[in-house]
Amino acid sequence: EAGVAQSPRYKIIEKRQSVAFWCNPISGHATLYWYQQILGQGPKLLIQFQNNGVVDDSQLPKDRFSAERLKGVDSTLKIQPAKLEDSAVYLCASSSGLAGEETQYFGPGTRLLVL
Amino acid sequence: GEDVEQSLFLSVREGDSSVINCTYTDSSSTYLYWYKQEPGAGLQLLTYIFSNMDMKQDQRLTVLLNKKDKHLSLRIADTQTGDSAIYFCAEASPRGYNKLIFGAGTRLAVHP
């Protein structure tokens, strides 16, 4: 079974530029998560989707970050404009969404460096 | 608050047992997880435990849960150099649609 796929793996941009990350969850998984992991810290949830609807985006800086999951499968996370403090690893995870099967499986992440 | 706490660093000799400790915050958390992160990689699920259990064993891994103290530990038996990584403890918050709240990670260094 294929795992969670993410691209690109690495991205370097200058501050005030825009950037987008893509995630394809495990086939059949209804729930998709985006986490931000700053160097030396644990991941922190940015947004959670159930199918194509947003369940939790309380920690998403909505003035610059946006995310969508239009067809309830893959998802895109965008930052516009980027700031230096957005340098981090952006991790996508998915879970089946079924009760009793809440385990989240993570992709390899996208490493963003903002200069 | 939402602070899961872990010690930051652990060094062990190859072949010894490693014990990584974690304190979580929400007594109503239903699942508690251990993830492993190697350099440049994503998070690999190691094991998890339901809150109604106090121990779970999976090959070289043993998880102990003390709900009264909100303390979780991961024991790795016969630690190998390939176990060198950062280990994250996480609780699934039922108040947060099952979002995971992570500790800052414990860096395990295994030396010969």
Side-chain angles (χ1 to χ4, degrees):
Chain A
E1 180 184 88
V4 177
Q6 290 188 246
S7 68
R9 292 295 310 277
Y10 305 92
K11 191 73 178 179
I12 301 174
I13 62 172
E14 295 187 347
K15 61 183 178 184
R16 291 188 288 273
Q17 286 187 323
S18 302
V19 65
F21 314 128
W22 174 82
C23 171
N24 191 16
I26 292 173
S27 178
H29 277 192
T31 310
L32 185 148
Y33 311 79
W34 284 102
Y35 288 84
Q36 180 192 57
Q37 185 180 17
I38 293 172
L39 186 66
Q41 299 181 18
K44 288 185 170 56
L45 182 72
L46 290 175
I47 188 167
Q48 176 181 346
F49 292 93
Q50 180 76 16
N51 296 309
N52 60 352
V54 174
V55 171
D56 183 357
D57 64 356
S58 57
Q59 299 302 307
L60 188 73
K62 298 180 188 62
D63 57 334
R64 298 183 300 106
F65 285 65
S66 63
E68 58 184 16
R69 195 186 184 199
L70 293 176
K71 296 182 181 177
V73 181
D74 53 354
S75 175
T76 303
L77 175 70
K78 295 178 182 176
I79 308 175
Q80 180 180 12
K83 292 186 175 181
L84 296 177
E85 60 260 35
D86 298 331
S87 294
V89 178
Y90 291 85
L91 294 163
C92 180
S94 70
S95 65
S96 69
L98 301 175
E101 295 181 14
E102 288 88 352
T103 299
Q104 295 179 32
Y105 298 91
F106 284 79
T110 296
R111 278 149 187 79
L112 174 67
L113 178 61
V114 182
L115 301 175
Chain B
E2 291 189 337
D3 285 336
V4 175
E5 295 188 354
Q6 301 178 237
S7 52
L8 294 182
F9 188 74
L10 177 65
S11 177
V12 299
R13 191 184 303 273
E14 191 174 13
D16 287 351
S17 293
S18 308
V19 179
I20 302 171
N21 295 301
C22 168
T23 303
Y24 62 98
T25 59
D26 191 339
S27 58
S28 64
S29 291
T30 51
Y31 296 87
L32 295 137
Y33 296 87
W34 286 102
Y35 285 88
K36 176 183 180 182
Q37 187 173 42
E38 296 182 269
L43 273 68
Q44 173 194 350
L45 176 68
L46 281 180
T47 187
Y48 62 91
I49 189 167
F50 292 107
S51 59
N52 63 357
M53 300 170 65
D54 53 18
M55 187 182 88
K56 180 179 180 182
Q57 189 150 5
D58 183 1
Q59 298 183 335
R60 292 192 296 123
L61 305 178
T62 303
V63 179
L64 295 178
L65 175 61
N66 180 330
K67 281 191 72 175
K68 174 177 170 290
D69 295 335
K70 290 184 276 188
H71 184 266
L72 184 72
S73 68
L74 173 70
R75 179 177 179 269
I76 306 173
D78 187 26
T79 312
Q80 302 298 306
T81 54
D83 295 323
S84 294
I86 301 176
Y87 290 80
F88 289 95
C89 163
E91 60 177 333
S93 170
R95 281 188 261 272
Y97 304 100
N98 199 45
K99 74 176 183 184
L100 292 180
I101 300 168
F102 286 86
T106 298
R107 182 178 294 275
L108 174 65
V110 183
H111 55 89

